[in-house]
């Protein structure tokens, strides 16, 4: 069984576009001013974990609860992210062509799974491995192994990893024995060998895999 593993954020869903809307909505919900909005925008730009809201409470001496704020953030970011319908149908087509399709993503388990449920991606993949479940993050090979196992297969030759992060997705995928497709966007480090293919969108990567199966 051929394996296609995908990253989640800024590969299958556009976190960059969703993030500012989620932060603005949160601050409106909670009655927070521009100083807190600016702090959240800076501190959570790349990733967020519950402890970040503990830091927020301490920084601004807020009479609030870390767990409540985290739950609000999870709900808002999940409702803000979207997945293109063409991606969902492309993943379904891959599976119908005999591919095992999985997601290997870094992040807190509850927020990543909330995004997957909200976008419909849960119904379009065979297995999911989230770093927050096992405290192992890409580029660690073990996360790729777990994703493959949850898809009912393994990291056998011929598998692919598709993602936007050169180090964690492409470098990590290659070290795990997978071929790689990079979604162009982030700066590419000079020290890293190029991916096998470079595309602009996940739909382009899916097309490459479907053509391979013909």
């Amino acid at each position: 069984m051929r394996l296609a593993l995908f990253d989640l954020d800024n590969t299958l869903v556009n976190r960059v576009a969703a993030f500012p809307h989620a932060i603005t909505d949160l601050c409106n919900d909670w009655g927070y001013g521009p100083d807190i909005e600016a702090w959240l925008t800076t501190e959570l730009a790349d990733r967020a974990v519950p402890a970040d809201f503990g830091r927020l409470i301490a920084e601004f001496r807020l009479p609030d609860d870390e767990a409540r704020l985290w739950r609000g953030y999870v709900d808002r970011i999940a409702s803000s992210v979207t997945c293109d319908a063409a991606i969902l149908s492309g993943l379904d087509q891959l599976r119908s062509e005999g591919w095992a399709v999985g997601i290997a993503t870094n992040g807190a388990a509850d927020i990543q799974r909330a995004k997957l449920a909200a976008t419909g991606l849960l119904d379009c993949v065979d297995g999911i491995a989230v770093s927050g479940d096992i405290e192992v993050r890409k580029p660690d090979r073990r996360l790729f192994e777990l994703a493959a196992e949850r898809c009912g297969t393994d990291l056998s030759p011929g598998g692919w990893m598709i993602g936007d992060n050169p180090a964690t997705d492409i470098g990590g995928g290659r070290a795990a024995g997978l071929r790689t497709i990079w979604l162009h966007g982030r700066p590419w480090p000079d020290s890293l060998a190029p991916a096998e293919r470079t595309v602009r969108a996940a739909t382009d990567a899916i097309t490459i895999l479907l053509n391979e199966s013909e």
Side-chain angles (χ1 to χ4, degrees), residues 5 103-104 113 127-131 133-134 136 140-153 155:
L5 296 180
I103 292 174
R113 292 185 185 281
I128 299 159
V130 183
S131 68
D133 283 334
I134 57 173
V136 168
D140 194 306
R141 177 187 176 93
R142 288 174 290 176
L143 194 67
F144 300 99
E145 288 175 334
L146 179 61
E149 178 184 326
R150 289 181 173 174
C151 288
T153 186
L155 298 178

Side-chain angles (χ1 to χ4, degrees), residues 96-173:
S96 71
E97 295 280 348
W99 288 79
V101 176
I103 292 174
T105 177
N106 288 342
D110 51 356
I111 195 167
Q112 298 302 75
R113 292 185 185 281
K115 293 173 193 173
L116 292 167
T119 55
L121 281 163
L122 276 179
D123 297 325
C124 297
V125 298
D126 299 296
I128 299 159
V130 183
S131 68
D133 283 334
I134 57 173
E135 300 303 322
V136 168
R137 294 176 58 81
K138 293 179 295 185
D140 194 306
R141 177 187 176 93
R142 288 174 290 176
L143 194 67
F144 300 99
E145 288 175 334
L146 179 61
E149 178 184 326
R150 289 181 173 174
C151 288
T153 186
D154 56 27
L155 298 178
S156 55
W160 290 84
M161 176 65 201
I162 301 94
D164 71 300
N165 190 301
T168 61
D169 296 325
I170 306 308

Side-chain angles (χ1 to χ4, degrees), residues 186-205:
R186 296 173 184 250
W188 188 270
D190 293 337
S191 59
L192 190 64
E196 278 78 5
R197 303 293 293 271
T198 297
V199 297
R200 290 285 179 180
T203 48
D204 300 326

Side-chain angles (χ1 to χ4, degrees), residues 9-10 15-16 19 23 39-53 55 70 73 77 105-109 111-112 115 130-133 135-138 165 168 186:
D9 291 318
N10 303 317
R15 183 185 184 274
V16 168
F19 176 70
I23 295 300
W39 189 95
L40 289 167
T41 299
T42 299
E43 296 297 318
L44 308 187
D46 292 327
R47 59 188 294 253
V49 296
D52 291 325
F53 292 90
R55 294 194 298 115
W70 171 249
Y73 176 76
I77 199 76
T105 177
N106 288 342
I111 195 167
Q112 298 302 75
K115 293 173 193 173
V130 183
S131 68
D133 283 334
E135 300 303 322
V136 168
R137 294 176 58 81
K138 293 179 295 185
N165 190 301
T168 61
R186 296 173 184 250

